[in-house]
Amino acid sequence: MALMSQSRMLQGPHVLGHDKPLIRLSFTSCVVGTVSLPLLGLITCISISSVFHFQDSTETHCKVTNYLPSISASISLSPECHIWRFCIGLHSAPRFLVAVAYFNFYKGRFSTRFLEWLLSCLNFMCAITENFGLLLLTYVSSNETYLVHKEGFVLFIASSVIHMVLTCRLWLVIKKYSLIPEDVKSFHWKIRCLILNIAFCCLAAYFYWKHNMYCEQGSYTFFALFEYCVVFSNMAFHLTAFWDFKSREMVVISPEEGKDF
């Protein structure tokens, strides 16, 4: 069985050689589903932690009153950790697939532009390491091995920011020469999400530092709030693939019986 991405949406009868399509799915559906899994998982984990494990999920070394659990605290408790691991594990394979699709897309667009081609390669590596960082912080909770969980979080944040910056740089060139309205819309929303993400990262880092330095009541709550915003803005950025691959689809094909791979 093979997995492929069509360069345009199939219209009318289309024969993929002698291969038989088993599953045909629009790329936009794949993107929405991929983003929805961690979104619903995160909301579920935070809700369960806030209602059933409020004390355990909001308590820190400062012993001051907090009103929101951090993401790390929410996904380290049970059953929250199992829900989160299920959602992230299920969405990780499509994330790798989307990264490959983007790389092939950029490779076709920038085949004659060396700088952009080089940036697209770096962008692909950042997309892969972002996903690995997310998997690492997911499957190694802060309660198990805090240092490894922390390194996974740092890898995820650093890779995601660099990935977003490089993506916006590439789409700046695409927008300049494109006549497609969706390309312009996608670029503008990417820029908005990038700016918000960086701002939320700075605010989360500030309140995390303030909480650890002064143990002020409410600082950890603001850290948790802006941490949510960092993740939500990251998800929104990835959701812009809805416009980038609007006319494309993925096809799972089964080679003809007896045909060599």
Side-chain angles (χ1 to χ4, degrees):
M1 185 163 58
L3 185 63
M4 63 180 294
S5 173
Q6 295 293 99
S7 60
R8 58 182 64 86
M9 182 170 285
L10 302 179
Q11 298 180 357
H14 185 87
V15 180
L16 298 172
H18 296 290
D19 297 330
K20 298 179 180 179
L22 296 178
I23 300 174
R24 181 169 290 160
L25 181 68
S26 68
F27 214 101
T28 53
S29 299
C30 177
V31 168
V32 172
T34 301
V35 174
S36 298
L37 279 169
L39 174 62
L40 295 176
L42 181 60
I43 292 174
T44 301
C45 290
I46 293 174
S47 300
I48 294 175
S49 295
S50 299
V51 174
F52 299 103
H53 304 134
F54 182 78
Q55 186 64 34
D56 291 335
S57 62
T58 58
E59 185 178 14
T60 68
H61 67 281
C62 288
K63 304 299 181 182
V64 295
T65 303
N66 299 303
Y67 303 100
L68 288 174
S70 68
I71 294 177
S72 294
S74 296
I75 65 175
S76 64
L77 301 169
S78 182
E80 295 93 307
C81 65
H82 305 298
I83 296 172
W84 179 247
R85 289 173 181 177
F86 173 78
C87 291
I88 294 302
L90 199 59
H91 109 297
S92 60
R95 276 284 296 273
F96 286 119
L97 180 62
V98 171
V100 172
Y102 264 115
F103 179 68
N104 290 331
F105 172 76
Y106 294 140
K107 188 168 61 173
R109 285 288 188 120
F110 302 122
S111 58
T112 59
R113 300 175 67 100
F114 178 73
L115 177 59
E116 281 73 21
W117 179 84
L118 196 62
L119 291 177
S120 67
C121 292
L122 181 58
N123 190 52
F124 173 70
M125 289 189 290
C126 287
I128 297 300
T129 56
E130 177 187 352
N131 204 19
F132 273 123
L134 181 58
L135 288 169
L136 185 61
L137 70 89
T138 294
Y139 288 98
V140 181
S141 70
S142 58
N143 288 344
E144 295 170 343
T145 310
Y146 175 75
L147 183 59
V148 176
H149 176 84
K150 180 181 177 181
E151 294 300 324
F153 180 79
V154 171
L155 178 63
F156 167 72
I157 292 296
S159 298
S160 67
V161 171
I162 296 173
H163 172 259
M164 286 190 282
V165 170
L166 291 174
T167 299
C168 288
R169 169 62 177 79
L170 293 170
W171 277 87
L172 177 64
V173 178
I174 293 174
K175 179 187 76 73
K176 184 178 180 181
Y177 298 101
S178 177
L179 300 176
I180 304 174
E182 283 81 5
D183 289 346
V184 178
K185 182 186 293 186
S186 177
F187 170 73
H188 288 156
W189 277 105
K190 282 178 170 63
I191 290 293
R192 294 185 185 110
C193 292
L194 171 63
I195 294 172
L196 287 173
N197 187 265
I198 292 176
F200 292 143
C201 282
C202 293
L203 288 168
Y206 168 72
F207 282 108
Y208 183 78
W209 169 82
K210 193 175 181 182
H211 169 74
N212 286 303
M213 184 63 65
Y214 302 109
C215 285
E216 289 184 356
Q217 183 172 327
S219 292
Y220 190 80
T221 301
F222 279 111
F223 159 70
L225 177 63
F226 288 118
E227 187 184 31
Y228 303 162
C229 294
V230 168
V231 174
F232 291 148
S233 59
N234 176 274
M235 292 178 182
F237 187 93
H238 287 293
L239 197 58
T240 61
F242 180 90
W243 293 300
D244 303 341
F245 298 103
K246 191 172 183 179
S247 61
R248 304 191 179 199
E249 64 178 17
M250 296 191 320
V251 179
V252 179
I253 61 175
S254 176
E256 186 181 14
E257 188 175 353
K259 181 180 178 180
D260 293 333
F261 284 95

